[in-house]
Amino acid sequence: MWGMNLLENDLFSEFDRMRREMDQIFGAGGTPAAGIRSAAAGAFPPVNVGASPERFDVYVFAPGMDPDSLDVSMQNHLLTVAGQRSAGAPEGVQSYRRERFDGEFRRVITLPEDADPDRVEARYQDGVVHVQVQRRESSRPRRIEVH
């Protein structure tokens, strides 16, 4: 009986993981990509987005990743961070509870139109991917002298 409950829990965990992946792919509420101020509930990895007059700062929290396995790209005003994380359970060990996400992930963040796709930098340090996207020069406020 106990083995059946374990199988049911694993099955429900797998369905929950698939639901989260589908929410992430298609976006919560039917939108294809989360905007700068919104995200699907339970999305992995968690993301913080900030803005200043000069740039956008995106922080992607993905501890235990190999930086070479991350794919960061920007097209138009869509920033994509993708990769794969393995939980690394020892061979022959059956898990009874798994809370750490493993598998492929993809986060797509819609940045405002003035994000410059030619001026993007990404660094991975202490489990955090920090992506800086500069604003286009033409969209920055410019002080005009009055004579």
Side-chain angles (χ1 to χ4, degrees):
M1 183 70 170
W2 188 76
M4 182 57 100
N5 286 341
L6 179 63
L7 179 62
E8 288 175 0
N9 286 342
D10 285 346
L11 185 60
F12 287 121
S13 295
E14 185 64 17
F15 280 131
D16 187 50
R17 183 189 65 78
M18 289 171 43
R19 181 196 53 79
R20 285 192 315 266
E21 286 181 12
M22 295 302 285
D23 285 347
Q24 193 171 357
I25 291 168
F26 295 110
T31 58
I36 194 168
R37 293 189 175 136
S38 64
F44 179 86
V47 172
N48 285 355
V49 180
S52 72
E54 295 83 31
R55 69 175 190 247
F56 301 99
D57 290 292
V58 179
Y59 297 91
V60 181
F61 301 95
M65 297 289 302
D66 176 4
D68 293 333
S69 71
L70 295 169
D71 180 22
V72 179
S73 62
M74 185 157 171
Q75 184 176 15
N76 298 325
H77 56 280
L78 296 176
L79 176 69
T80 302
V81 179
Q84 182 168 354
R85 183 166 93 171
S86 173
E91 190 174 317
V93 174
Q94 184 176 2
S95 296
Y96 295 107
R97 183 177 185 129
R98 291 179 50 192
E99 294 182 358
R100 183 175 183 202
F101 174 86
D102 68 333
E104 292 183 359
F105 63 86
R106 175 183 217 82
R107 290 297 304 264
V108 179
I109 300 154
T110 304
L111 294 174
E113 299 270 337
D114 63 339
D116 189 344
D118 295 325
R119 298 175 54 214
V120 180
E121 293 179 18
R123 287 187 304 278
Y124 182 81
Q125 183 177 357
D126 298 329
V128 179
V129 181
H130 179 197
V131 182
Q132 290 183 342
V133 181
Q134 299 296 318
R135 290 181 186 261
R136 295 181 197 274
E137 290 287 333
S138 61
S139 67
R140 291 187 187 174
R142 189 173 62 123
R143 179 148 172 76
I144 300 171
E145 251 182 73
V146 178
H147 298 281

